[in-house]
Amino acid sequence: MAKLFLVRHGQAAFGEDNYDQLSKLGHQQARWLGEYFRERGVTFKRALAGGLMRQQDTAKSLLAATENPPPLDTHPGLDEYDGHALYVSHTGSADVAGHQKRDAVDYWRTFRGAYQGWVDGTLIGEHESWADFGGRIHQALGGLCTGLSREDNVLAVSSGGVIGTTIAGLLQTAPRSAIELNFQFRNSAFCEIIVGRSEWRLSTFNALPHLDRPDRRDAITFV
């Protein structure tokens, strides 16, 4: 069966004014994942990433380490939700990086409240709706996986919110479960999804085989 490999970006710049950039480790995580695919003979017919810098750079570093990589296409449907807008709508403050630096635990507690309000439809403010977010993800991944043969693999590089929402939809779980799936997902981890004609099935979730070795345990990150 055709397979979709859905990858989260590498480590980004948490606590910095510009989160949307990979750290040095983030680039390395992506290269290691590309090497893992190459060593196992996994090649990609198509590759797609969101338009955010951390997504684009992860995809480029990953593909550069694979065999016969396809050109990288971009689709805004794989962009992450605007976490800054959710935070502002929930708190009335724009000092996201300052909160992260002062108290990361309290920041995540606060952000979870914003996320829950967004999913529940009770968060008021200037942000994309939860329904529109899910709709654009479905459109992007559906287009990527159209017309595949049984032996084809395709790559999509995105972010934790996109991945959590996708998996919650596949498993037909409660909408809030997308939050937990998002927060569990590690940098450069991937899901393997079997793409059938009538349905998609989750085969692997949050996998990090390229980091599952003693000398790389410190390279396992979440933000």
Side-chain angles (χ1 to χ4, degrees), residues 97-154:
H99 195 174
Q100 291 170 347
K101 292 175 181 177
R102 287 193 306 273
D103 190 335
V105 173
D106 184 66
Y107 166 78
W108 285 115
R109 185 183 301 112
T110 302
F111 186 76
R112 180 183 289 272
Y115 204 154
Q116 290 174 342
W118 181 47
V119 172
D120 295 343
T122 60
L123 186 67
I124 305 302
E126 297 296 325
H127 54 262
E128 177 182 31
S129 74
W130 170 253
D132 287 346
F133 179 62
R136 65 171 169 83
I137 297 168
H138 180 77
Q139 182 184 41
L141 294 179
L144 175 65
C145 296
T146 297
L148 298 178
S149 69
R150 292 179 60 87
E151 303 303 319
D152 288 336
N153 299 311
V154 292

Side-chain angles (χ1 to χ4, degrees), residues 65-115:
T66 63
E67 183 177 358
N68 298 320
L72 177 64
D73 293 324
T74 302
H75 196 300
L78 295 185
D79 288 356
E80 183 64 297
Y81 56 78
D82 187 343
H84 186 274
L86 300 186
Y87 178 91
V88 171
S89 294
H90 183 64
T91 65
S93 169
D95 187 22
V96 176
H99 195 174
Q100 291 170 347
K101 292 175 181 177
R102 287 193 306 273
D103 190 335
V105 173
D106 184 66
Y107 166 78
W108 285 115
R109 185 183 301 112
T110 302
F111 186 76
R112 180 183 289 272
Y115 204 154

Side-chain angles (χ1 to χ4, degrees), residues 183-218:
F183 287 165
Q184 289 178 40
F185 220 80
R186 299 166 292 186
N187 295 123
S188 76
F190 65 87
C191 290
E192 189 175 348
I193 298 169
I194 298 172
V195 180
R197 292 183 180 179
S198 60
E199 64 177 351
W200 293 11
R201 301 191 301 278
L202 179 65
S203 176
T204 304
F205 175 76
N206 205 12
L208 280 175
H210 55 301
L211 302 183
D212 188 17
R213 43 187 286 178
D215 60 330
R216 296 182 184 174
R217 295 290 170 82
D218 290 342

